[in-house]
Amino acid sequence: MKVTKEQILQKAISFFSSHDYDRSSLNEIAGALNITKGGIYHYFESKDDLFKESVSYLLDIVDQQASDSIELGIPLKKLLKSFFLLDDVAGLYSQMTGLDILGDYSDIVYLLFSVLKKFPEMRSKQERIYARYMMGMEMLFRDAQKRGEIRRDLDPEGLAFELTAFVEGGMLISSVSSGLDGNRLGTKVFDNFWKRIQSDSDDPE
Amino acid sequence: MKVTKEQILQKAISFFSSHDYDRSSLNEIAGALNITKGGIYHYFESKDDLFKESVSYLLDIVDQQASDSIELGIPLKKLLKSFFLLDDVAGLYSQMTGLDILGDYSDIVYLLFSVLKKFPEMRSKQERIYARYMMGMEMLFRDAQKRGEIRRDLDPEGLAFELTAFVEGGMLISSVSSGLDGNRLGTKVFDNFWKRIQSDSDDPE
Amino acid sequence: MKVTKEQILQKAISFFSSHDYDRSSLNEIAGALNITKGGIYHYFESKDDLFKESVSYLLDIVDQQASDSIELGIPLKKLLKSFFLLDDVAGLYSQMTGLDILGDYSDIVYLLFSVLKKFPEMRSKQERIYARYMMGMEMLFRDAQKRGEIRRDLDPEGLAFELTAFVEGGMLISSVSSGLDGNRLGTKVFDNFWKRIQSDSDDPE
Amino acid sequence: MKVTKEQILQKAISFFSSHDYDRSSLNEIAGALNITKGGIYHYFESKDDLFKESVSYLLDIVDQQASDSIELGIPLKKLLKSFFLLDDVAGLYSQMTGLDILGDYSDIVYLLFSVLKKFPEMRSKQERIYARYMMGMEMLFRDAQKRGEIRRDLDPEGLAFELTAFVEGGMLISSVSSGLDGNRLGTKVFDNFWKRIQSDSDDPE
DNA sequence: CATGAATGAGCCTTCATTCAT
DNA sequence: GATGAATGAAGGCTCATTCAT
């Protein structure tokens, strides 16, 4: 059974995100794939190269799944609610790739920060993903406004940013605070959030 | 001029937050202090020890300043507004210690994540700081409710979490997205936020 | 010319026995083999590992040669005599391996003691070698009793222990006392020893 | 309570014999005496100096006690018997100094060997102690011969060497072989030894 | 293609030694 | 006298990288 370049990338992601760059040795990565260190050098010029390529590989997946999570045309309320269940969202990260690549949310945040430290030039790629995601959100709100589901006097860009920032921050705090119930707090916040933005003509719950 | 233990801690923080644990060599840290590596071992048993002690040192400062930033008894609106000016808040981190220790917000997040990876036992300290901070926020909202400044039907715990999470997440996104204007977006969000929570009797602006 | 694992073991023995564990640096050992320190880590996980493996290597040789030195079926007297020539026996150690590995007898005693200090779990291996050797001696005496070469009322186990202990102690004293003639004193002792144990029917010399 | 030079010597012996030269740090030795490293340098020029002086100190005690153990004028048989009880003799080493300085027999042998490796010039002192001890033994046998307690046709020098070597070797084997009963085997050997050397006119037991 | 031996630089750590106070 | 800060050399160890096979 040949080891493909993609398998190496996946295993690398798994090491880099759980062990951190410097603590992930090529020997171990190779060992986990039952090949030798030299084998990796056939596909990648250096460890740095492997690192950058594997983070890119991961970012593409994240971007794809982020896009997929934004579905136009369905009632916004239900979709939004799912974003506020912080523990559930965080749980998605582990399955995100369908490849058992990632640990939890904090692993990926750590990984993305560390790549910025080493390779500042990768900032633009991360930046673009955030931008695309928030743009998707914005369209979601615009669409709901058009359909009259939410109030028309709210700024869609502000809403998109507010939501995204809250979710990121909420998961971050959640990942540090083991005793905190992210779903419960998220629901509380969602209730207030929705009450504020829903169209006046909406049936109050 | 004697080099004190505190000077070492500060320089260590500065390295660990900007270069990451593994890339911060004792050689460099010592060199930046004009002492030799061996000198560090007078004050610290090991690199791990230095790392843990310096993160502790930093966390104590962060905790202190977080507490200080919560002032009861003044109009909530003005205080809140300042929290939403993300770029300004982020800027505070660099001066937080008054010691030119930190780079920017992402440095400290990165540092705190990395310490959790290496020393999970330090989670509780970080957790406590978040808990204390959010409790302070909660009291802020309760106080404002008592004074009639904001609506009384809102859940203070939810508000505290919402605010804290938004600020953290906002700064995180901001630190990645160089083109993003954190103050502008933050102001937008604040306006909506305040409109929602202010007491009905308040004069609309 | 490739450097084999066995060559490293031999050179290590030579250093560890003449310089002691802590004073034998991997740098020097590697240098003597014209490789670099890192090369040693290809074959051994650590200095400790190298130490243990090389002592094991030596012990196996010692055990083998000890077994070989016990020949059943030949006149006991001649064989015994050779054991009492302490200087000659001590001299055998240096050539024991045919590899110029050891210095003199005291080197090996020192090495074996030091390995016990660091790795008490290696005691059993040394113990087994002594036990096997003394058992071989015992059989030698039993055989000679059967053949009527020595008196039948002596305890073979006691004789084996007496002989072994005397030889060990004699060489030890000899190795410390440069002026002492081990062969001369050994011969004196042998004469008494043999006079005591020889069969009465034997022709007195 | 002032720390005297002798106290340092004793503590040093205790460390050097149980931990070995290189593993005994001046810091630890000083710490065990509740003084600082610098304090040691008031009495000793260097670690080497301390090492040599402390081994000298020990050797003087050993020499003294070895002399004391040889008592002329009492029945030889009883005295000799005590030398053959190997486990008991080995046990004496720990109490030898009355100062809780030494561990067991193997510690002292190890220490004496290691000092020879580092400072070959100390060989003569050790050599002299062995020589004096064997000379004492020789006189013991001569005395017993004079008194008619043992046969007059035996060579006292050979007997002294035989006895000393056996005891040294026996204890050495004993210290390695945990399962071996040194007293039992020693008694066996003594019985044979005494039978051989006792005067014919002696009452057989 | 792939292996595995070998390198070399860099890191953490220890510790005898010095010296100003 | 004695302390404690500081040095500097050395050692074990790791690992990305190279290269002959």
Side-chain angles (χ1 to χ4, degrees):
Chain A
M1 177 89 78
K2 270 283 202 53
V3 170
T4 68
K5 184 167 178 177
E6 193 161 2
Q7 282 178 299
I8 297 179
L9 285 172
Q10 290 167 5
K11 191 59 82 179
I13 280 291
S14 145
F15 269 80
F16 288 141
S17 67
S18 64
H19 295 100
D20 148 293
Y21 180 84
D22 286 290
R23 297 192 125 66
S24 305
S25 83
L26 293 185
N27 246 337
E28 278 178 314
I29 295 175
L33 289 163
N34 272 102
I35 59 173
T36 60
K37 214 169 11 177
I40 292 181
Y41 277 86
H42 273 282
Y43 297 103
F44 304 95
E45 282 184 354
S46 64
K47 190 185 180 184
D48 279 7
D49 184 30
L50 171 63
F51 186 50
K52 284 200 283 193
E53 283 212 38
S54 57
V55 172
S56 258
Y57 176 83
L58 175 65
L59 285 177
D60 288 342
I61 293 178
V62 170
D63 190 27
Q64 182 60 46
Q65 306 229 0
S67 306
D68 291 351
S69 76
I70 299 179
E71 304 174 61
L72 288 173
I74 66 163
L76 181 64
K77 187 175 182 182
K78 200 179 153 203
L79 183 59
L80 273 192
K81 173 84 192 253
S82 70
F83 289 141
F84 280 83
L85 297 175
L86 298 174
D87 293 342
D88 295 352
V89 175
L92 288 178
Y93 276 94
S94 356
Q95 321 152 9
M96 172 174 288
T97 60
L99 292 163
D100 185 29
I101 273 179
L102 293 168
D104 56 19
Y105 171 75
S106 67
D107 281 342
I108 194 175
V109 172
Y110 184 63
L111 178 61
L112 297 184
F113 268 114
S114 67
V115 77
L116 290 185
K117 296 244 170 223
K118 276 186 69 75
F119 305 107
E121 72 266 27
M122 292 203 69
R123 177 178 303 275
S124 60
K125 183 154 192 172
Q126 293 190 31
E127 197 171 346
R128 210 183 55 239
I129 291 179
Y130 270 128
R132 280 165 46 84
Y133 185 68
M134 285 196 282
M135 176 55 80
M137 281 284 177
E138 202 178 319
M139 282 160 51
L140 219 54
F141 286 115
R142 268 186 221 288
D143 191 50
Q145 284 178 327
K146 213 174 295 168
R147 291 204 317 270
E149 197 181 352
I150 63 171
R151 294 169 50 172
R152 292 204 167 82
D153 61 336
L154 298 170
D155 175 52
E157 187 192 10
L159 287 174
F161 181 65
E162 182 178 359
L163 176 55
T164 311
F166 167 74
V167 173
E168 288 283 339
M171 287 197 297
L172 191 137
I173 295 174
S174 226
S175 78
V176 168
S177 308
S178 50
L180 187 147
D181 184 338
N183 280 355
R184 185 182 67 85
L185 283 171
T187 301
K188 266 191 188 177
V189 176
F190 170 73
D191 289 341
N192 273 330
F193 186 76
W194 184 255
K195 212 172 294 170
R196 162 159 61 102
I197 68 171
Q198 68 185 335
S199 170
D200 291 336
S201 59
D202 250 35
D203 294 338
E205 273 169 298
Chain B
M1 176 87 78
K2 274 273 199 54
V3 171
T4 67
K5 184 168 179 175
E6 196 161 0
Q7 282 178 297
I8 298 179
L9 284 173
Q10 290 167 4
K11 190 60 80 180
I13 281 290
S14 141
F15 269 80
F16 286 140
S17 66
S18 64
H19 293 100
D20 152 285
Y21 180 84
D22 286 293
R23 298 192 119 66
S24 307
S25 87
L26 294 185
N27 249 336
E28 279 180 312
I29 295 176
L33 289 163
N34 272 104
I35 59 173
T36 58
K37 208 165 26 173
I40 293 181
Y41 279 87
H42 248 282
Y43 300 98
F44 304 94
E45 284 184 351
S46 62
K47 189 185 181 184
D48 279 9
D49 186 30
L50 172 62
F51 186 51
K52 284 202 282 194
E53 282 212 39
S54 56
V55 171
S56 256
Y57 176 83
L58 175 64
L59 284 178
D60 287 341
I61 294 178
V62 170
D63 190 29
Q64 182 60 46
Q65 307 230 1
S67 306
D68 290 352
S69 75
I70 299 179
E71 303 174 62
L72 288 175
I74 66 163
L76 182 63
K77 190 176 180 183
K78 198 177 154 207
L79 183 60
L80 272 193
K81 175 84 193 253
S82 71
F83 290 141
F84 279 84
L85 296 174
L86 298 176
D87 292 343
D88 295 352
V89 174
L92 289 177
Y93 275 95
S94 355
Q95 322 151 8
M96 173 173 290
T97 60
L99 292 161
D100 184 30
I101 273 180
L102 292 168
D104 57 18
Y105 171 75
S106 69
D107 281 344
I108 194 176
V109 172
Y110 184 62
L111 178 60
L112 297 185
F113 268 114
S114 68
V115 78
L116 291 186
K117 286 231 178 247
K118 276 187 67 77
F119 304 107
E121 71 269 24
M122 292 202 70
R123 176 178 303 275
S124 60
K125 185 156 191 171
Q126 293 192 30
E127 196 170 346
R128 210 183 53 240
I129 292 179
Y130 270 129
R132 279 166 46 84
Y133 184 68
M134 285 196 281
M135 176 56 78
M137 282 285 176
E138 202 179 318
M139 282 160 49
L140 219 56
F141 287 115
R142 267 185 224 287
D143 191 51
Q145 283 178 327
K146 215 174 291 168
R147 293 203 317 272
E149 194 180 353
I150 63 170
R151 294 169 50 171
R152 293 203 167 85
D153 62 335
L154 296 169
D155 176 53
E157 187 194 8
L159 288 173
F161 181 66
E162 184 178 357
L163 176 56
T164 311
F166 168 74
V167 174
E168 289 281 339
M171 288 197 297
L172 192 137
I173 295 173
S174 227
S175 76
V176 169
S177 308
S178 50
L180 187 150
D181 184 337
N183 279 355
R184 184 183 66 85
L185 282 172
T187 302
K188 266 191 186 175
V189 175
F190 169 73
D191 289 341
N192 273 330
F193 186 76
W194 184 255
K195 210 172 297 170
R196 165 157 61 101
I197 70 172
Q198 70 184 331
S199 171
D200 291 335
S201 58
D202 251 33
D203 292 338
E205 274 167 299
Chain C
M1 177 86 80
K2 275 273 199 51
V3 171
T4 67
K5 185 168 179 175
E6 195 160 1
Q7 282 178 297
I8 298 179
L9 285 173
Q10 290 167 4
K11 190 60 79 178
I13 281 289
S14 141
F15 270 79
F16 287 140
S17 66
S18 64
H19 293 101
D20 151 285
Y21 180 84
D22 287 293
R23 297 195 118 66
S24 306
S25 86
L26 293 184
N27 249 336
E28 280 179 313
I29 295 175
L33 289 162
N34 270 105
I35 58 174
T36 60
K37 205 166 30 174
I40 293 181
Y41 279 87
H42 249 283
Y43 300 98
F44 304 95
E45 284 184 351
S46 63
K47 190 184 181 185
D48 279 9
D49 185 30
L50 172 62
F51 186 50
K52 284 203 282 194
E53 281 212 41
S54 57
V55 171
S56 255
Y57 176 83
L58 175 65
L59 284 177
D60 287 340
I61 295 178
V62 170
D63 189 29
Q64 182 61 45
Q65 307 229 1
S67 305
D68 290 352
S69 76
I70 299 178
E71 304 174 61
L72 288 174
I74 67 164
L76 181 64
K77 190 176 181 182
K78 198 179 156 204
L79 183 60
L80 272 193
K81 175 83 193 253
S82 69
F83 291 140
F84 280 83
L85 297 174
L86 299 175
D87 293 343
D88 295 353
V89 174
L92 289 177
Y93 276 94
S94 357
Q95 322 152 7
M96 173 174 289
T97 61
L99 293 161
D100 184 30
I101 274 181
L102 293 167
D104 56 18
Y105 171 76
S106 68
D107 281 343
I108 193 174
V109 172
Y110 184 61
L111 177 61
L112 297 185
F113 267 113
S114 67
V115 78
L116 290 185
K117 284 230 180 251
K118 278 187 67 73
F119 306 107
E121 72 268 25
M122 293 203 68
R123 177 179 303 275
S124 60
K125 184 155 191 171
Q126 294 191 30
E127 197 171 346
R128 209 183 54 240
I129 292 179
Y130 270 128
R132 279 165 47 84
Y133 184 69
M134 285 196 280
M135 175 55 79
M137 282 285 177
E138 201 179 319
M139 281 161 50
L140 219 56
F141 287 115
R142 266 184 224 288
D143 190 52
Q145 283 178 327
K146 214 175 292 168
R147 291 204 318 271
E149 195 180 353
I150 64 171
R151 293 169 50 173
R152 292 203 167 84
D153 62 335
L154 296 170
D155 176 54
E157 186 193 9
L159 287 173
F161 181 66
E162 183 178 358
L163 175 56
T164 312
F166 167 75
V167 173
E168 289 282 339
M171 288 197 297
L172 192 139
I173 295 173
S174 227
S175 76
V176 170
S177 309
S178 50
L180 186 149
D181 184 338
N183 279 355
R184 184 183 65 85
L185 282 172
T187 301
K188 266 192 186 175
V189 176
F190 170 73
D191 289 342
N192 272 330
F193 185 75
W194 184 255
K195 210 174 296 169
R196 164 159 60 102
I197 69 171
Q198 70 184 332
S199 171
D200 290 336
S201 60
D202 251 34
D203 291 339
E205 273 167 299
Chain D
M1 177 90 77
K2 270 282 203 51
V3 171
T4 66
K5 183 167 179 176
E6 192 160 4
Q7 283 177 299
I8 298 178
L9 285 172
Q10 289 167 5
K11 191 60 79 179
I13 280 290
S14 147
F15 269 80
F16 288 141
S17 67
S18 64
H19 295 101
D20 150 291
Y21 180 84
D22 287 289
R23 297 192 124 66
S24 306
S25 84
L26 292 185
N27 246 336
E28 278 180 314
I29 295 174
L33 288 163
N34 273 102
I35 60 174
T36 59
K37 215 168 13 177
I40 292 182
Y41 277 85
H42 273 282
Y43 297 102
F44 304 94
E45 283 184 353
S46 64
K47 189 184 181 185
D48 279 8
D49 185 31
L50 172 62
F51 186 50
K52 284 201 283 194
E53 283 212 39
S54 59
V55 171
S56 258
Y57 176 83
L58 175 65
L59 285 177
D60 287 342
I61 294 177
V62 170
D63 190 27
Q64 183 59 45
Q65 306 229 1
S67 305
D68 290 352
S69 75
I70 299 179
E71 303 174 63
L72 287 173
I74 66 164
L76 181 64
K77 188 177 183 181
K78 199 178 153 204
L79 183 60
L80 273 193
K81 174 83 192 254
S82 71
F83 291 142
F84 280 84
L85 297 175
L86 299 175
D87 294 340
D88 295 352
V89 174
L92 288 178
Y93 276 94
S94 356
Q95 321 152 9
M96 173 175 287
T97 61
L99 292 163
D100 184 29
I101 274 180
L102 293 168
D104 57 17
Y105 171 74
S106 67
D107 281 343
I108 195 175
V109 172
Y110 184 64
L111 178 61
L112 297 184
F113 268 114
S114 66
V115 77
L116 291 185
K117 296 243 170 222
K118 275 187 68 75
F119 305 107
E121 70 268 26
M122 292 204 68
R123 177 179 305 276
S124 60
K125 183 153 192 171
Q126 292 190 32
E127 196 170 346
R128 210 182 54 240
I129 291 179
Y130 270 128
R132 281 165 45 84
Y133 184 69
M134 286 195 281
M135 175 55 79
M137 281 285 177
E138 202 178 319
M139 282 160 49
L140 219 55
F141 286 116
R142 270 186 221 288
D143 190 52
Q145 284 177 327
K146 213 175 292 166
R147 292 204 315 271
E149 196 181 353
I150 63 170
R151 295 168 50 170
R152 293 204 167 84
D153 62 335
L154 297 169
D155 175 54
E157 187 194 10
L159 286 173
F161 181 65
E162 182 178 0
L163 176 56
T164 310
F166 167 75
V167 173
E168 288 283 340
M171 287 198 297
L172 192 140
I173 295 173
S174 227
S175 77
V176 169
S177 308
S178 50
L180 186 148
D181 183 338
N183 280 355
R184 185 182 66 85
L185 283 172
T187 302
K188 265 191 187 177
V189 176
F190 169 73
D191 289 342
N192 273 330
F193 186 76
W194 184 255
K195 212 173 293 170
R196 164 156 61 100
I197 69 172
Q198 71 184 332
S199 169
D200 291 335
S201 59
D202 250 34
D203 293 338
E205 273 168 297

